[in-house]
Amino acid sequence: MATWLARVGAASMRRAWLVIVAWVAILGGVLGGALALGPNMQESFAIPGTESQQALDRLGSVFPQVAGSSVQVVYQAPDGAGVVDFQAQIQQQAREIEAIDDVASVVEPWSEFASDQVSADGETAFTQVQFEPQGSGVTPAGLDELVATADAARAGGLAVEFGGQAFQATSVPISWVEGVGVLFAAIVLFVTFWSLLAAGLPLITALVGVAITMGGVLGASALVTVSNSAPLMALMIGLAVGIDYALFILSKHRSQLARGMGVVESGSLAVGTAGTAVVFAGLTVVIALVGLLIVGIPFLSVMGIGAAASVAIAVAAATTLLPAIMALLGERLRPRPGSRAARLAERDVDAQPTLGMRWVTGITKRPWLAIVGVLVVVGVASVPAASLELALPDNGREERGTTQRIAYDLLQEGFGEGTTGPLVVMADITQVTDIMPTLEAISDDLAAIDGVDRIGSAFPDETADTAIIQVIAETGPADHATAELVRAIRDAAPALEAEHGTPIAVTGATAVQIDVSQRLQDALLPFGIVVVTLAVVLLLLVFRSILVPVTAAIGFVLSVLAAFGTVVATLQWGWGAELLHTEAGPILSFMPVLLMAVLFGLAMDYQVFLVSGMREAHAHGHSAISAVRHGFAANARVVTAAALIMFFVFFAFVPEGMAMIKAIALGLAVGVAVDAFLVRMTLIPAVMTLLGERAWWLPRWLDRAMPDMDVEGESLGRHRAALAWAADAGGHLALERLRPEVDHDRPGSASWTLTAPRGAVVRLDAPFAERQRLAHALLGDVGAAGHAHLGGAALPGDVPLLRSRLALVDLDLVDPAGRAETAHHAARAALSLRTPLALGATLDRRASALVERAAAALGSPIDASAPLSRLSPLARAAVLVAIALERQPSLVWIDAATGAPAGAARVAAQLGGDDLTIVTSEPAPEAHGRPAIDLAPDDAAADDRAAADASTAASDPTDTGDATAALATTGADR
């Protein structure tokens, strides 16, 4: 991946304006589409399959008058008066509301169908308005007309407010406070780079990515139900990761520029190394967020997909848009010699320890103290998590001063807490003859259940097959006792059905929200197990270690618990709630799973950047403790900056954010701070110090079975070294001590060395098995030690290019299925693969021409209708070489178990021209003026002894000048 990303970075830099224009076009298209479709944010907490949702769906089909959104128009008389004094105005407003389209029913306080809609003190009353069903979460179209009907009543001094589920917030509030988070992020970026120009780049790419995401989410809201918190989630997460991902790549780029590297070379290398870690970290966040689909809650799935899209776009912007802008800025991003940024890039952390080096040195000296300190702090912060209570937001969590919040408070003061969230009990009365007496009996039984304040209205539908009974709880809709009441009614349902012959089900908006909260709470542990398991597996692949992933997963759990505990203490218990402009109450139901999903990816991000540096230092010969110190010091500065940016961006959504976002933002801010500074930068170095060499232990069988993720970009380093070797090696085909493997990680005994110019004829002189291993090593099918290049495409890293330039003609692989394939059919099949849309007649004509060219090169006719296996070996070789040359390779490799037939090189030269390099196993190939080279393998053991002798001679202690130079080089490298 590192090599591919380096190519992506280089291509983006070489075509900078094209990349930037493409991003601008995407941004304009998405925002234009969103404006054209018109955002339509809705709240829908439906969960298919729950009892409450099934009952609500049934009411929608058989009793639509009660299945739509409800509104309470709440009245409060002025001091010294009662609502009865305004009866005429209230009843007039009720008649105006009835005339609005989509209104199913209106029950004013003095209606014969009213049920306790005037408070005991006579100062408060409410009118119940029911809309026609609009679909899940869709806001009724007549709300604006409904609000306008209050003008006349208000003119007389009556206070009129509107509440109910239809008046939940449907906007996306973004205040100036969120901008403060971006401002703090900009300050952190400036301190990191000491350059305003460099500090602005991560902000630009992050804002472009966030704008595209917001446009996409808002546009999608016109097509599917999207909660009003989904865009804010995408904004918050996309902004944080967008800045951080760009920071990692840009920091690497500027460090390399400070050391004298060229602009394009540095940019591509930064994208290939730091970009690989960015892609991995982004992928983990995306997987975790998309994993929310397994919870099975539609609104949460949409939220997860939106946030995952914001992360994916942030990764794409960091690896394409950022390099393009870096290319345009060019040398202006290079730190000036002697500047603070240049001195930091060139600083020797051993001679001049940085703050990060001093911190990790202290930890490695007293690891147990660090571990105990972190566990105590995190343990204390986690204690409140045991009291976590979950609920979905209602109008009681809306901002004070809004009409829905005022209506909510008035209803609770005048009628009790349960009035704001009545339960609806649906009864199937198809088998009942005395309907009203039965409903009265059921109502009496329900009223006797603990937690029921009173029974509201009870009435059947027009067809007398379904009835509803309104149950008013003693507690509010978000109270834990209300959820207990719902369970108590459901527990009593079998006995009520047996007694009255009427199946019942509990539904209504409150019951639906309680079922959603229960489903989320039940999914919390399984989702946590999935996330932790995924963390262990991913880190096992990255670090190729057993203990490193386990410690990382444990650290993730500690961070999550600390975040949960802080959120509970602040938002549920109310500690410091006034400072955050919030009120104590249950925690948002989907906060835990969202926090775990997002924090998982961010934690793996910090783990990869810090521990990969330790692993690289260990691989370069540092002892276990020294590797911890140097790996930490190399990345501590950028990880600290990234964590601070995340913290400020997340925390900025807490003071003025909507109620649904506050808990998520606070949890993420605390989780990031705990995970970065306490877990990754304190606990993990201490644990790694105690583990020592055991930290990198991995069973050999598991090492062989796992793919190489190469997050550190080691393959890119090898590829760059291979390209440098290829530039010096010369020739069109060059091999230097290339040893194809005979088993996993075990090079064979054959060592190949060659330099052949373009158009040369190379004769292979080796057993067939060795020849085959060499060919497949060049094609990348077999691993190999040593160096090789073909036309500048080098191993390792350029396998796709090598495969496009080398055509292997294996004369033994003719008609393996025994189908008696003819020369014409073989040519036609090969041509159809290259041009799948070509007509049959065209393919036949081109296949015939190909066989004719082979015959002309051969110098004798070839029967196109004859099976290939029956042609002479040379004729068969001519046809197969002609087929292979259709894709225009620069080298053709002709081989067979018994050797290529005599004349094969001559035929290939005739077909391919002077520039075609030919490798053949025929005994005496005809060169016809071309360079002719014999290639036979050397004994690898002899090569190794010669290399060892040369190394010994180079390190001769009598040669003072060479020794001094070697020591100087070693010191400089260190």
Side-chain angles (χ1 to χ4, degrees):
M1 179 182 286
T3 303
W4 179 78
L5 282 174
R7 293 194 181 109
V8 170
S12 299
M13 298 185 81
R14 293 191 180 100
R15 299 170 179 81
W17 280 113
L18 178 63
V19 172
I20 292 173
V21 168
W23 275 96
V24 171
I26 293 171
L27 175 62
V30 172
L31 292 180
L35 292 174
L37 291 173
N40 183 25
M41 313 308 297
Q42 310 292 339
E43 290 295 359
S44 174
F45 298 123
I47 304 183
T50 59
E51 176 183 321
S52 58
Q53 188 61 45
Q54 289 175 339
L56 199 61
D57 293 341
R58 172 169 174 154
L59 285 177
S61 59
V62 302
F63 209 162
Q65 297 91 335
V66 298
S69 297
S70 63
V71 172
Q72 290 87 38
V73 185
V74 185
Y75 308 98
Q76 187 175 44
D79 293 341
V83 290
V84 70
D85 299 330
F86 298 88
Q87 182 173 348
Q89 293 96 317
I90 293 173
Q91 290 177 332
Q92 175 60 32
Q93 183 185 9
R95 288 189 290 271
E96 294 177 7
I97 294 173
E98 283 182 329
I100 297 174
D101 292 339
D102 297 331
V103 171
S105 64
V106 179
V107 180
E108 44 90 1
W110 296 277
S111 168
E112 60 178 314
F113 301 107
S115 174
D116 298 328
Q117 292 180 214
V118 179
S119 64
D121 59 11
E123 295 181 359
T124 308
F126 68 91
T127 294
Q128 186 71 33
V129 180
Q130 199 75 32
F131 281 89
E132 298 283 357
Q134 305 288 318
S136 178
V138 179
T139 301
L143 280 187
D144 292 337
E145 295 179 65
L146 176 66
V147 173
T149 62
D151 294 341
R154 285 171 175 163
L158 183 67
V160 184
E161 304 295 343
F162 298 88
Q165 65 196 82
F167 273 87
Q168 286 185 332
T170 57
S171 61
V172 184
I174 300 176
S175 70
W176 62 271
V177 179
E178 284 80 15
V180 173
V182 178
L183 176 61
F184 276 112
I187 294 172
V188 173
L189 288 170
F190 175 74
V191 173
T192 301
F193 294 122
W194 292 105
S195 165
L196 287 174
L197 185 63
L201 294 192
L203 293 175
I204 292 173
T205 56
L207 290 173
V208 169
V210 162
I212 292 173
T213 303
M214 291 287 285
V217 173
L218 294 175
S221 69
L223 307 175
V224 297
T225 301
V226 178
S227 71
N228 56 72
S229 56
L232 283 182
M233 269 293 297
L235 170 64
M236 180 173 61
I237 295 173
L239 193 60
V241 301
I243 294 174
D244 270 14
Y245 292 166
L247 165 66
F248 289 135
I249 294 175
L250 182 59
S251 176
K252 185 79 170 178
H253 177 56
R254 278 176 53 87
S255 296
Q256 292 168 169
L257 289 177
R259 298 188 185 102
M261 194 175 289
V263 172
V264 175
E265 181 186 13
S266 173
S268 64
L269 183 59
V271 175
T273 51
T276 303
V278 163
V279 170
F280 171 79
L283 182 62
T284 58
V285 181
V286 168
I287 291 173
L289 288 170
V290 173
L292 293 172
L293 292 170
I294 67 176
V295 179
I297 299 178
F299 79 89
L300 190 59
S301 299
V302 172
M303 190 178 293
I305 291 172
S310 72
V311 175
I313 292 171
V315 172
T319 53
T320 56
L321 178 60
L322 177 64
I325 300 176
M326 292 191 311
L328 294 183
L329 295 177
E331 292 293 332
R332 282 177 286 178
L333 288 175
R334 190 186 299 276
R336 293 189 305 274
S339 66
R340 182 181 180 88
R343 292 197 307 271
L344 285 172
E346 299 169 356
R347 189 170 182 172
D348 186 339
V349 294
D350 288 323
Q352 296 177 293
T354 59
L355 178 60
M357 175 60 86
R358 291 194 292 270
W359 174 262
V360 74
T361 300
I363 292 173
T364 55
K365 287 180 178 178
R366 301 174 184 83
W368 280 112
L369 180 61
I371 292 172
V372 172
V374 170
L375 293 180
V376 168
V377 173
V378 173
V380 171
S382 303
V383 169
S387 303
L388 180 65
E389 293 181 9
L390 301 178
L392 284 171
D394 55 24
N395 285 334
R397 305 301 297 273
E398 295 291 344
E399 185 178 352
R400 289 189 179 275
T402 60
T403 186
Q404 57 265 42
R405 178 59 188 273
I406 296 173
Y408 182 94
D409 292 340
L410 289 174
L411 286 173
Q412 289 210 335
E413 292 172 6
F415 301 92
E417 295 183 3
T419 308
T420 55
L423 302 174
V424 177
V425 175
M426 184 191 73
D428 183 351
I429 55 174
T430 53
Q431 305 301 318
V432 175
T433 54
D434 297 327
I435 295 176
M436 294 311 297
T438 300
L439 292 181
E440 290 176 4
I442 295 174
S443 298
D444 292 339
D445 290 340
L446 291 173
I449 297 176
D450 289 341
V452 175
D453 180 49
R454 65 186 184 277
I455 300 297
S457 55
F459 52 90
D461 65 347
E462 294 178 353
T463 58
D465 56 12
T466 303
I468 63 167
I469 303 170
Q470 192 179 59
V471 178
I472 309 300
E474 295 176 349
T475 51
D479 197 296
H480 181 69
T482 306
E484 293 295 330
L485 174 59
V486 170
R487 283 188 277 272
I489 295 174
R490 287 172 176 169
D491 291 341
L496 292 174
E497 180 180 356
E499 180 180 353
H500 303 289
T502 306
I504 67 171
V506 185
T507 185
T510 300
V512 169
Q513 293 189 4
I514 289 171
D515 286 345
V516 170
S517 297
Q518 187 61 49
R519 173 74 69 86
L520 286 164
Q521 194 161 353
D522 293 341
L524 186 57
L525 182 59
F527 184 73
I529 293 173
V530 169
V531 169
V532 171
T533 303
L534 182 63
V536 172
V537 172
L538 287 175
L539 292 177
L540 179 66
L541 294 173
V542 171
F543 295 117
R544 311 186 80 80
S545 163
I546 297 292
L547 296 177
V548 169
V550 172
T551 56
I554 294 173
F556 166 68
V557 173
L558 293 176
S559 302
V560 168
L561 291 176
F564 284 177
T566 305
V567 171
V568 170
T570 305
L571 301 183
Q572 184 176 310
W573 293 356
W575 294 1
E578 298 83 3
L579 298 176
L580 301 180
H581 298 179
T582 187
E583 301 173 50
I587 303 303
L588 184 67
S589 298
F590 50 86
M591 184 279 292
V593 290
L594 272 178
L595 187 144
M596 291 174 65
V598 177
L599 191 57
F600 164 72
L602 302 182
M604 297 307 101
D605 192 352
Y606 303 142
Q607 180 80 8
V608 167
F609 270 90
L610 286 172
V611 181
S612 62
M614 300 176 191
R615 181 172 181 264
E616 183 179 1
H618 185 266
H620 289 170
H622 285 274
S623 66
I625 296 179
S626 177
V628 170
R629 293 172 59 243
H630 286 83
F632 182 95
N635 296 297
R637 181 180 178 83
V638 68
V639 170
T640 300
L644 287 174
I645 290 170
M646 288 271 189
F647 175 81
F648 286 128
V649 170
F650 288 146
F651 194 79
F653 284 81
V654 177
E656 300 297 332
M658 60 186 299
M660 293 181 69
I661 290 295
K662 281 181 184 289
I664 300 172
L666 179 61
L668 287 174
V670 173
V672 164
V674 170
D675 193 84
F677 300 120
L678 293 182
V679 174
R680 308 300 158 188
M681 302 183 75
T682 305
L683 180 65
I684 293 300
V687 172
M688 295 286 287
T689 300
L690 294 177
L691 291 176
E693 297 293 338
R694 291 168 294 180
W696 307 110
W697 174 79
L698 183 70
R700 185 176 295 275
W701 63 268
L702 186 58
D703 184 42
R704 289 196 298 266
M706 290 194 311
D708 185 6
M709 301 293 290
D710 190 28
V711 173
E712 298 91 348
E714 293 177 3
S715 64
L716 178 58
R718 293 193 297 268
H719 179 56
R720 286 168 54 82
L723 290 177
W725 170 85
D728 294 335
H732 183 61
L733 171 64
L735 315 174
E736 182 178 316
R737 301 181 64 203
L738 188 70
R739 297 174 58 185
E741 295 177 354
V742 295
D743 195 4
H744 181 76
D745 288 339
R746 188 168 69 87
S749 60
S751 175
W752 303 85
T753 298
L754 167 74
T755 301
R758 180 181 290 274
V761 176
V762 179
R763 185 181 73 86
L764 291 170
D765 183 11
F768 178 65
E770 298 292 353
R771 302 197 305 262
Q772 287 289 291
R773 272 196 287 270
L774 175 59
H776 287 284
L778 290 173
L779 291 170
D781 300 326
V782 175
H787 297 288
H789 87 84
L790 175 60
L795 284 176
D798 285 332
V799 170
L801 275 175
L802 286 165
R803 289 179 176 176
S804 68
R805 295 176 181 179
L806 190 154
L808 176 60
V809 178
D810 192 336
L811 302 179
D812 294 325
L813 295 180
V814 174
D815 197 19
R819 296 190 304 269
E821 186 178 41
T822 66
H824 180 83
H825 287 158
R828 191 182 191 278
L831 292 170
S832 66
L833 290 176
R834 291 184 55 79
T835 54
L837 300 181
L839 299 175
T842 302
L843 290 174
D844 286 332
R845 184 172 63 256
R846 291 177 58 192
S848 298
L850 188 149
V851 175
E852 290 174 3
R853 287 199 303 274
L858 180 65
S860 62
I862 296 176
D863 185 359
S865 62
L868 277 173
S869 57
R870 296 185 182 178
L871 295 178
S872 68
L874 188 56
R876 183 164 65 245
V879 173
L880 294 178
V881 168
I883 292 173
L885 292 179
E886 277 295 305
R887 57 187 182 91
Q888 299 179 338
S890 63
L891 183 148
V892 63
W893 189 294
I894 310 170
D895 200 6
T898 57
R906 173 183 58 81
V907 171
Q910 289 279 350
L911 289 167
D914 294 338
D915 288 337
L916 179 67
T917 303
I918 303 167
V919 179
T920 177
S921 58
E922 61 185 289
E926 303 174 37
H928 294 288
R930 293 166 174 257
I933 303 172
D934 287 340
L935 176 61
D938 298 323
D939 179 47
D943 272 2
D944 291 341
R945 287 192 297 271
D949 292 342
S951 176
T952 302
S955 60
D956 187 348
T958 61
D959 191 345
T960 308
D962 289 346
T964 303
L967 289 172
T969 303
T970 303
D973 289 344
R974 183 181 62 78

